[in-house]
Amino acid sequence: MVADLSAARAFVSVATAGGFREAAKATGISASSLSGAVRRLEDRLGIRLLNRTTRTVTTTEAGSHVLERLQVAMADVEAALDRANDFRGMPRGTLRLNVPVNAARLVLPRILPGFTRAFPDILVEIVVEHGFVDILAAGCDAGIRYDERLTKNMVALPIGPAKQRFATAASPAYLERHGRPQHPHDLFDHACLPARYGSGAVAPWTFERDNRIVEIEPAGPLAIDVNAMDLAVLAAIDECGIVHLFEDWLRPAFENGTLEAVLEPWWQSFSGPRLYYHGRDHVPGPLRAFINYVQQNQW
């Protein structure tokens, strides 16, 4: 195919210039190379495209028809390449990100408004999924996950806060009725509001203090899908039980007094999320623009 395209370009150059010497001057390719390329194309097609004499080179009837079609096709190729240059210059197109709900709620709101203002020709599509996915198979350009969810063949860079914590909380009224837990094991005597994965498994709650790690399997009146944890927060505010979630997610409720922090000395901290994508070479323009923007606008 590449050889055919090269030969086709040679034929168009010769037919347009009206001779091999003239085409050689215009293209910088030797007349003998152009002649050989045209001859290979004629052999490939099984027809003669050019009438050659010692003085002139003209297209045959078939050659004129092929030349007309090739000129249109070559113009389309040039237009496509020019369009690619547009993408390389001012990025435009679609950027599709695969993110967990906590990143959609806590990380992207601090990044996307400024990014979309800086790059108005880029359409950003957000796909919310909790589990780790093959971003290429999912039709996405990049994803956001935590270190333990990344595979080694990914390029990853920090996005969002460098450190985060899980916080535990309940409404003041609930705690007045049921008491305030002092140790994670006290939660076995409380109504908990755990997150449930799509597989049906309940997400454990992990606590850490003085290098001691305590993990419990929470149980209570509600088990809520990981992508709908706003419902768990509302349930906790409505005195249904204790919620365990990202501290930043619960902070508005702490500030307005609808939730009260419990077990704070046991809150576990961990490294913040990372933006991951395949490979470093020929990164699409919209993704490259997003990567640069994230690197320049870290927390």
Side-chain angles (χ1 to χ4, degrees):
M1 177 61 73
V2 174
D4 287 349
L5 289 174
S6 177
R9 286 183 179 276
F11 165 67
V12 171
S13 298
V14 173
T16 302
F20 290 97
R21 289 193 181 90
E22 292 79 2
K25 292 177 183 177
T27 63
I29 302 172
S30 69
S32 60
S33 295
L34 291 170
S35 178
V38 173
R39 182 68 68 187
R40 289 193 299 274
L41 182 61
E42 289 177 323
D43 292 343
R44 169 77 170 79
L45 298 175
I47 57 173
R48 185 169 45 170
L49 300 174
L50 295 175
N51 289 317
R52 306 163 177 82
T53 70
T54 56
R55 293 179 179 273
T56 62
V57 174
T58 60
T59 56
T60 63
E61 182 180 359
S64 296
H65 177 74
V66 171
L67 175 62
E68 181 181 354
R69 298 295 297 273
L70 282 177
Q71 285 175 323
V72 172
M74 295 296 182
D76 287 342
V77 169
E78 294 299 330
L81 294 177
D82 287 342
R83 177 67 172 164
N85 285 331
D86 289 343
F87 276 81
R88 185 182 59 192
M90 183 60 169
R92 64 184 64 191
T94 301
L95 171 65
R96 203 159 189 255
L97 301 176
N98 190 291
V99 306
V101 66
N102 60 282
R105 198 178 195 284
L106 305 176
V107 176
L108 293 182
R110 295 183 61 172
I111 295 174
L112 290 183
F115 178 76
T116 55
R117 286 193 295 268
F119 299 95
D121 293 327
I122 295 178
L123 169 64
V124 182
E125 295 183 355
I126 305 299
V127 179
V128 177
E129 288 185 277
H130 182 76
F132 184 79
V133 298
D134 182 330
I135 51 176
L136 292 182
C140 296
D141 299 291
I144 297 176
R145 292 296 188 276
Y146 289 83
D147 284 340
E148 70 273 12
R149 307 300 297 275
L150 299 181
T151 56
K152 292 182 179 179
N153 62 339
M154 296 291 177
V155 179
L157 67 147
I159 182 171
K163 289 289 183 180
Q164 291 183 282
R165 291 198 301 176
F166 271 110
T168 313
S171 71
Y174 172 90
L175 295 173
E176 286 297 325
R177 289 201 313 271
H178 300 281
R180 289 167 174 79
Q182 302 301 311
H183 188 280
H185 287 156
D186 294 342
L187 294 173
F188 292 124
D189 298 323
H190 284 269
C192 296
L193 305 171
R196 186 183 295 275
Y197 298 120
S199 64
V202 170
W205 291 1
T206 304
F207 300 88
E208 184 174 2
R209 184 177 185 181
D210 300 329
N211 295 320
R212 287 185 57 213
I213 293 177
V214 176
E215 185 174 279
I216 70 164
E217 294 184 8
L222 291 172
I224 300 168
D225 186 90
V226 291
N227 291 320
M229 291 307 291
D230 272 330
L231 179 58
V233 176
L234 293 175
I237 291 172
D238 287 338
E239 307 174 24
C240 293
I242 296 178
V243 66
H244 183 74
L245 201 56
F246 288 85
E247 180 182 5
D248 289 341
W249 200 323
L250 298 180
R251 182 172 290 115
F254 291 150
E255 292 174 350
N256 64 27
T258 54
L259 287 180
E260 178 182 325
V262 296
L263 296 174
E264 186 167 0
W266 288 90
W267 290 359
Q268 186 183 47
S269 63
F270 48 91
S271 298
R274 299 174 76 81
L275 177 74
Y276 74 99
Y277 57 98
H278 283 279
R280 296 183 186 273
D281 297 329
H282 306 301
V283 174
L287 176 56
R288 173 54 61 193
F290 188 71
I291 291 169
N292 292 339
Y293 187 85
V294 168
Q295 291 174 325
Q296 295 166 11
N297 294 274
Q298 278 295 351
W299 258 243

